């Protein structure tokens, strides 16, 4: 069974039509949806969005909630009309660590909003606390290119340079462009993949997106909009996100007051004397960040001008309309299949329909085999995609359960920004020869490189290298650089503790060293939570001379 059929089931729900009627009533500004548990909310909203004529902005309490809500919506509705609007920062805003992949998603949302089409946008307080470029400024900073139009290659190159794009040999991250003969490659901040513009004389012959790693084309485009990094470009005409979205948009929130308070906390953390003192050398940058933040009071004043839906535990104030659902979260089984069979049998005897949502048909068959081996006569309907959390809807007399909860497996959402990060390619030897010397890292035995080679990686994940040539160029370190380099040039990898050891080893012929910035012990778990699992042996606690303890883990498939 295709998961879209669940959308059809909820399209027939009485509350789906009731919500549409309430939103058409101009006198109704606030609606509270009571009793939506687990993934019942995204499944219900998927049916509502199918008929919605206006943009709906879902504001969840944090990144985690927003990520799972977005996952469920895209599983049902697809990614075309459902967009994710993240913070442009990798960590808390006060640290000032930008994430280019997240900026792609933010810019894409702003570009799509300018087309006046109904969208579903999923976001959270940290994202909407940041102001965005105004409609006028965004239009002025957007370069539009269409197949068949006549323009000089040099003109395109000049405009890209004026917009702040960096010219490189090949593009691998947003904000870069490259020229190869009659082909211009450009990585816009509004696209998950870079564009390849092919000229025939002064005419745009074709436009395609392509994979960074393989350089293979993905799809053809008739027209594109190229947008630079919006947080540093333009005259500084920034507005709150709620001022950018259409006035007839609907705001759907878990908890209005929590969101307001969280935005206030974000603003206060950025402007606090403690934050400024902790990063004195970047005080100017922090003050620039503060100017681009909104606070809880401004958010509240803007939000009350929109029609609002709340679907948390309790409403804010007295809603003008309330729709009550009768749902409950999927029970916790802990792989106790006796308990699973008993629960399923009870529901079947009451006339409920069981739906098992899983991304793997093999898992559905495995569950069926377990029941058969136990002698249980349990029938269920296999659904070809999973939700984050299963639930029971008593009004529909249906159970929408997930296999990962039954088998007690961890389930993680995936965002398009993850794919954008994975698209970054490894550095080539040609690029390395252009960098200036630095000081951080891992040791690599590389016969193709001369001696006394040390690569420095600082906290901003930038490297400076000076050995064979000094070009002064700066490039990001790629996660797969070592593997790619060894595969291409040969050699082997060893992992060394202590910068002095690396330096001494690199004085020997044919050795090449990389030294990463040390991680604070207190940042270990926080870094894993925010950035994901660290690659093999990229961290270890303690100094080389007295280190006695390792913390290592491997994902079990």
């Amino acid at each position: 069974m295709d998961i879209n059929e669940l959308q059809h089931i909820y399209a027939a729900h009485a509350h789906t039509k009731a919500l549409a009627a309430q939103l058409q009533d101009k006198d109704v500004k606030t609606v509270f949806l009571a009793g939506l548990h687990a993934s019942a909310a995204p499944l219900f909203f998927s049916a509502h969005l199918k008929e919605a004529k206006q943009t709906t902005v879902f504001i969840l309490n944090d990144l985690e909630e927003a990520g799972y809500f977005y996952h469920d919506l895209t599983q049902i509705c697809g990614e075309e009309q459902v967009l994710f609007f993240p913070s442009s920062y990798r960590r808390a805003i006060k640290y000032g660590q930008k994430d280019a992949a997240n900026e792609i998603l933010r810019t894409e949302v702003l570009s799509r909003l300018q087309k006046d089409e109904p969208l579903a946008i999923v976001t959270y307080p940290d994202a909407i606390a940041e102001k965005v470029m105004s409609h006028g400024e965004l239009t002025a900073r957007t370069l539009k290119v269409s197949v068949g139009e006549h323009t000089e290659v040099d003109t395109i190159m000049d405009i890209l340079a004026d917009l702040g794009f960096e010219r490189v040999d090949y593009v691998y991250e947003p904000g870069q462009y490259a020229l190869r003969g009659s082909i211009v490659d450009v990585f816009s901040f509004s696209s998950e993949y870079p564009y390849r513009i092919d000229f025939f004389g002064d005419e745009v012959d074709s436009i395609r997106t392509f994979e960074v790693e393989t350089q293979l084309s993905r799809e053809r485009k008739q027209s594109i909009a190229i947008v630079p990094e919006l947080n540093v470009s333009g005259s500084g005409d920034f507005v709150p996100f709620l001022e950018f979205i259409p006035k007839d948009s609907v705001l759907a929130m878990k908890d209005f007051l929590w969101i307001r308070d969280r935005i206030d906390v974000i603003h206060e953390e950025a402007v606090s004397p403690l934050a400024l003192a902790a990063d004195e050398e970047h005080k100017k940058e922090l003050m620039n960040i503060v100017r681009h933040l909104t606070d809880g009071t401004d958010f509240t004043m803007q939000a009350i001008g929109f029609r609002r839906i709340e679907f948390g535990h309790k409403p804010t104030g007295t809603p003008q309309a309330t729709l009550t659902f009768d749902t409950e979260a999927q029970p916790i089984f802990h792989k106790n299949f006796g308990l699973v069979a008993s629960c399923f049998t009870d529901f079947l005897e009451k006339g409920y329909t069981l739906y098992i949502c899983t991304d793997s048909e093999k898992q559905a068959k495995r569950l069926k085999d377990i029941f058969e081996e136990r002698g249980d006569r349990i029938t269920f309907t296999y659904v070809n995609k999973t939700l984050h959390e299963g639930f029971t809807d008593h009004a529909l007399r249906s159970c929408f359960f997930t296999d990962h909860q039954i088998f007690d497996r961890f389930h993680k959402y995936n965002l398009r920004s993850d794919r954008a990060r994975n698209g970054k390619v490894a550095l080539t030897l040609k690029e390395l020869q252009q960098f200036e010397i630095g000081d951080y890292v891992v040791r690599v035995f590389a016969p193709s490189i001369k001696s006394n080679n040390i690569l420095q990686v600082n906290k901003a994940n930038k490297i400076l290298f000076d050995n064979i040539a000094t070009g002064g160029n700066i490039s990001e370190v790629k996660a797969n650089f070592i593997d790619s380099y060894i595969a291409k040039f040969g050699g082997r990898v060893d992992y060394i503790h202590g910068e002095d050891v690396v330096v001494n080893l690199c004085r020997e012929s044919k050795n090449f060293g990389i030294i990463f910035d040390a991680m604070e012990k207190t940042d270990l778990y926080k870094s894993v939570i925010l950035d994901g699992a660290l690659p093999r042996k990229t961290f270890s606690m303690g100094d080389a001379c007295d280190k006695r303890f390792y913390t290592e883990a491997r994902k079990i498939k």
Side-chain angles (χ1 to χ4, degrees), residues 219-263:
E219 61 177 325
R220 289 183 175 272
K221 299 282 188 180
Q222 287 300 308
S223 61
I224 57 173
I226 301 171
V227 184
E229 184 179 3
L230 298 182
N231 285 340
V232 298
S233 303
S235 62
D237 184 12
F238 289 83
V239 298
F241 179 67
L242 295 188
E243 190 174 318
F244 192 94
I245 64 177
K247 299 301 180 184
D248 65 343
S249 299
V250 175
L251 304 184
M253 297 175 277
K254 284 285 292 288
D255 189 328
F256 190 127
L257 297 181
W258 163 265
I259 294 168
R260 181 202 64 185
D261 292 345
R262 176 59 189 156
I263 292 175

Side-chain angles (χ1 to χ4, degrees), residues 539-551:
F539 72 90
S540 120
M541 300 292 101
D543 296 322
C545 59
D546 58 6
K547 187 178 65 60
R548 296 288 184 272
F549 180 71
Y550 285 93
T551 301

